[in-house]
Amino acid sequence: MFYQTNFIKMKVAVYSFHKFEKEYLTNFNLSKHELKLLDTRLTLQTAQLAEGCKTVSIFVNDDASAPVLNELKKYGVAFLALRSAGYNHVDLVAAKKLGLRVARVPDYSPYSVAEHTVALMLALNRKLIRSHNRVRELNFTLDGLVGFDMQGKTVGIIGTGKIGSVVAKIMNGFGCNIIATDLLENKELKGKYGVTYSDGQSLCSKSDIISLHLPLTAETKHIIDKKYIDKMKRGVMLINTSRGGLINTKEVIGGLKSGVIGYLGIDVYEEESDLFFEDHSEDILQDDVISRLMTFNNVIITGHQAFLTNTALENISKTTIYNIDCFASSDDNKNEIKI
Ligand code: NAI
């Protein structure tokens, strides 16, 4: 193994470690760094577990707010290696003040998330969960399973970055009309895939399906609220595989109750950090909002699994180890988030 002269073996506290990551992390680390695998989330209470580790690696529902970063700094942490693309859970201003360097995995597989997005659309449209449950009970009736042709429908894509643009291309293959909105227009989508850009209001009023592919920021938080829902076509399908905070869940429930939202597919949920990635099958569910969502037969919820393909896991681990290598050797790294 070739090491640069200034390479330092890092001790890394890997928070929110899941069994499914083990072979990938181990394969790419090749024992270069000492990985302390922790199945707990990073919180103020668990920050102490990083004592003696110069690097901390975190996932989407770990708490990297200012008080937690402060605590990590006290225990000698200097680097944060995110195993995610999104970084809305990290207080970058506080990290900068504390001199903590942060790197992420910007692009591990837009296809994984885009394809899951389309899986949600098709499962909702063709009522696959209901039909699967019926067949298991030897009920082969078809009433209540009527779907619609995707061909010719209008799909509104909010955010045509890496993931949104793959969704647009797949939808183009289905023969859909695609309207998009983004701060920047994608010339390839316009030229080759017939995508037209418009403002959010017109996208809302024309789309049969709306899919969100935005980062969660102060500007995009609750971008889907009652005001927006009131402009949607009756019976619209709404899909969110980005971040739960993009939609005001209580107001979306209002939209489902009134019938304006005809289908909802979500892989992310505003309050997911207390629920997702853990087995709560023995617990009494305390979250009344997600409980209400689960009562609708036109809602499908998956537990933040859109990224979960072997290709994505390989790329996440490979880039995370590369980011740690760069911290260890003080190399420049384009994955570092600089503000
Ligand atoms: P990206 O950065 O490539 O694209 C985001 C797009 O949103 C950009 O084109 C940007 O110009 C646009 N945008 C940002 N703010 C906007 C605003 N206020 N109004 C209109 N457009 C705006 O990001 P990427 O890789 O496509 O990811 C999208 C989201 O998917 C991420 O934020 C991430 O949180 C989420 N994600 C979810 C995963 C899952 O497993 N469910 C896995 C990976 C990412």
Side-chain angles (χ1 to χ4, degrees), residues 127-141 145:
K127 300 168 177 69
L128 295 186
I129 310 288
R130 205 185 228 194
S131 101
H132 174 71
N133 289 338
R134 271 192 203 177
V135 167
R136 282 161 62 98
E137 293 191 3
L138 303 183
N139 175 355
F140 297 98
T141 60
L145 301 183

Side-chain angles (χ1 to χ4, degrees), residues 171-211:
M171 291 295 101
N172 174 266
F174 273 76
C176 298
N177 308 311
I178 303 151
I179 316 178
T181 166
D182 197 301
L183 302 173
L184 305 162
E185 296 192 356
N186 178 322
K187 282 194 192 132
E188 188 202 9
L189 292 183
K190 282 172 76 174
K192 275 207 207 153
Y193 296 91
V195 174
T196 53
Y197 280 85
S198 80
D199 56 84
Q201 186 160 339
S202 139
L203 179 146
C204 247
S205 60
K206 291 184 184 149
S207 298
D208 301 296
I209 300 172
I210 296 176
S211 194

Side-chain angles (χ1 to χ4, degrees), residues 108 113 161-163 182-183 214-215 220 241-243 267 304 307:
Y108 51 81
V113 184
K162 291 183 283 295
I163 296 168
D182 197 301
L183 302 173
L214 295 171
T220 62
T241 55
S242 287
R243 285 292 179 267
D267 184 54
H304 209 136
F307 72 99

Side-chain angles (χ1 to χ4, degrees), residues 156-279:
I157 298 182
I158 307 188
T160 50
K162 291 183 283 295
I163 296 168
S165 57
V166 176
V167 174
K169 290 174 188 175
I170 300 174
M171 291 295 101
N172 174 266
F174 273 76
C176 298
N177 308 311
I178 303 151
I179 316 178
T181 166
D182 197 301
L183 302 173
L184 305 162
E185 296 192 356
N186 178 322
K187 282 194 192 132
E188 188 202 9
L189 292 183
K190 282 172 76 174
K192 275 207 207 153
Y193 296 91
V195 174
T196 53
Y197 280 85
S198 80
D199 56 84
Q201 186 160 339
S202 139
L203 179 146
C204 247
S205 60
K206 291 184 184 149
S207 298
D208 301 296
I209 300 172
I210 296 176
S211 194
L212 303 174
H213 301 287
L214 295 171
L216 178 61
T217 63
E219 291 80 52
T220 62
K221 187 169 162 67
H222 286 181
I223 193 165
I224 303 296
D225 59 5
K226 184 169 182 316
K227 241 170 59 200
Y228 224 92
I229 294 164
D230 286 345
K231 296 189 184 89
M232 292 178 185
K233 256 187 174 177
R234 191 167 178 81
V236 67
M237 179 187 289
L238 177 65
I239 306 284
N240 184 13
T241 55
S242 287
R243 285 292 179 267
L246 293 177
I247 64 178
N248 181 326
T249 316
K250 286 187 182 155
E251 294 181 5
V252 162
I253 288 174
L256 284 160
K257 284 166 79 176
S258 70
V260 172
I261 299 175
Y263 311 79
L264 175 71
I266 54 173
D267 184 54
V268 286
Y269 168 58
E270 273 186 280
E271 303 302 329
E272 70 178 49
S273 60
D274 289 335
L275 286 172
F276 284 14
F277 306 123
E278 279 163 28
D279 181 2

